[in-house]
Amino acid sequence: MSKRLILFTLFAVLALAVVPFAAAQDAPQTYKFAFVPGVNPDPFYVTMAAGVTQAAIDLGVEIIQQDPAAFDPTVQTPIIEALVARGDIDFLITAPTDKEQMIPVLEGVRDAGIPLLTVDTFIGDGDYENGEVTFPLTYIGSDNFQGGYIACSTLAEKLGAGAKIYIQNVRPGISTTDQREEGCKAAAADLGLEVVGVDYNEDDVNTAQQQTAAVLEANPDIKGVFGANTFSAQGAGAAVQNAGLGGAVEVVAFDASEFAIELLREGTVTEVIAQKPADMGYMGVITAMAYTRGVTSMPKRIPTGYAVMRQDNIDDPDIARFIYKEQ
Ligand code: T6T
């Protein structure tokens, strides 16, 4: 064999060895991210899903979305277990429906080698840096204590010290709504309101409405109501409206559903605290993508802020864009 032929053969062999490797490195890989919201239908998570979908389009990721039919850890747990069992999920983005009860199944996700982050809600005490649970990559969501504090400060501002208020909430054990209740009670203590009671509606609008109607009837001196999430606020608002108490009883609503905005425009609701679920979903996907691609600088907490809606700003496009989507 001539020297030239030997060299040519050597280069050819090397090229064959190197090209498939290089091709494999450069080949575009489509990642599969699972997204499990808290419940659907719920305009908050519908809006979050829109953010997830937009980021997936922008980044070319495949999303496997599985919706629990109720905001309940016993419904959400088997959905997540089934996703793990598929064996093809690269990342999990989820809103855990209970801060303690969802820990074991999410530990299972971690043990299966699937990284995860939580959006909207957290597990443990929410401090993924130094708290009781640190394995989720990050927690992306509102500062819910602050949100509850804002809500009940508004009631104090409207009603003055000494007024009695009532809280409609979902169920103890949910990180978001627990913190909203705590924030509201802290504002009430700081500003001199009396919280006469809290009812839990299991995320059911009819229950929220019936409970509020009964409480208002039995306690005509209640002058303010805080509805701590979409369905709590819708039920509370409807009860106040049906009793003809719009304006006489101030309602502050968490979550910007279309119905809450209708009640705001019509005067039954004084203030709507809108979260930014689309941004939570979008940030969830881009954070998961960055991590999957090897980015190591990751904050353990990404707060997303609020848009506080009132009659005098609801037509401002910079505020109105945070009204949730219904589908
Ligand atoms: O308020 C949101 C969410 O933040 C909470 O965790 C559960 O309820 C909602 O989805 C509203 O319906």
Side-chain angles (χ1 to χ4, degrees):
M1 233 196 258
S2 72
K3 234 184 191 172
R4 239 189 212 179
L5 191 61
I6 293 171
L7 273 177
F8 176 79
T9 314
L10 198 64
F11 276 127
V13 168
L14 274 176
L16 279 176
V18 166
V19 164
F21 177 71
Q25 290 277 300
D26 292 338
Q29 185 184 346
T30 306
Y31 293 108
K32 258 186 206 157
F33 295 168
F35 170 50
V36 181
V39 63
N40 256 321
D42 173 335
F44 173 84
Y45 292 113
V46 167
T47 310
M48 183 183 284
V52 165
T53 304
Q54 187 58 55
I57 293 167
D58 292 351
L59 300 178
V61 184
E62 187 182 343
I63 301 291
I64 314 292
Q65 180 175 343
Q66 303 272 311
D67 293 332
F71 196 96
D72 183 336
T74 65
V75 177
Q76 197 178 38
T77 295
I79 291 175
I80 292 177
E81 282 168 347
L83 283 164
V84 171
R86 288 168 57 119
D88 64 346
I89 298 297
D90 296 303
F91 202 102
L92 172 68
I93 298 165
T94 189
T97 47
D98 188 284
K99 57 193 175 193
E100 294 303 323
Q101 290 182 57
M102 290 306 293
I103 295 175
V105 68
L106 294 181
E107 282 172 341
V109 173
R110 173 205 56 193
D111 295 346
I114 303 170
L116 69 129
L117 62 80
T118 72
V119 275
D120 176 39
T121 48
F122 59 73
I123 50 173
D125 62 6
D127 178 359
Y128 294 163
E129 189 91 55
N130 304 302
E132 70 175 280
V133 173
T134 55
F135 64 84
L137 181 62
T138 187
Y139 162 43
I140 303 172
S142 313
D143 177 337
N144 287 286
F145 181 90
Q146 180 197 39
Y149 198 97
I150 294 171
C152 293
S153 301
T154 299
L155 289 178
E157 187 191 305
K158 292 274 170 196
L159 302 170
K164 293 186 177 176
I165 66 163
Y166 163 71
I167 303 175
Q168 250 304 319
N169 205 350
V170 182
R171 174 197 310 133
I174 304 166
S175 69
T176 47
T177 48
D178 282 0
Q179 287 193 327
R180 289 170 205 163
E181 183 180 320
E182 286 162 22
C184 171
K185 286 177 172 168
D190 290 349
L191 303 168
L193 295 177
E194 185 186 338
V195 180
V196 294
V198 183
D199 274 325
Y200 298 102
N201 56 52
E202 292 291 324
D203 217 27
D204 181 65
V205 66
N206 294 322
T207 308
Q209 184 172 343
Q210 283 155 17
Q211 289 172 337
T212 308
V215 165
L216 290 177
E217 205 180 323
N219 304 273
D221 52 348
I222 289 177
K223 294 289 174 242
V225 180
F226 170 41
N229 86 330
T230 300
F231 304 110
S232 311
Q234 287 184 349
V240 169
Q241 191 182 42
N242 292 346
L245 291 171
V249 173
E250 299 283 343
V251 180
V252 173
F254 221 91
D255 289 314
S257 67
E258 278 178 7
F259 184 54
I261 301 305
E262 206 179 300
L263 292 175
L264 177 72
R265 288 190 188 283
E266 167 268 338
T268 303
V269 163
T270 312
E271 182 173 274
V272 172
I273 299 176
Q275 305 187 76
K276 299 182 180 165
D279 291 324
M280 293 178 203
Y282 196 96
M283 299 287 294
V285 174
I286 60 172
T287 307
M289 183 59 147
Y291 179 81
T292 309
R293 283 289 175 94
V295 169
T296 53
S297 310
M298 286 286 166
K300 283 290 203 177
R301 172 82 175 101
I302 304 176
T304 44
Y306 295 109
V308 178
M309 301 173 164
R310 295 188 173 177
Q311 265 187 357
D312 62 3
N313 70 8
I314 190 59
D315 292 319
D316 175 347
D318 283 343
I319 296 289
R321 71 195 169 99
F322 293 109
I323 298 173
Y324 302 171
K325 297 178 187 354
E326 297 293 318
Q327 36 201 325

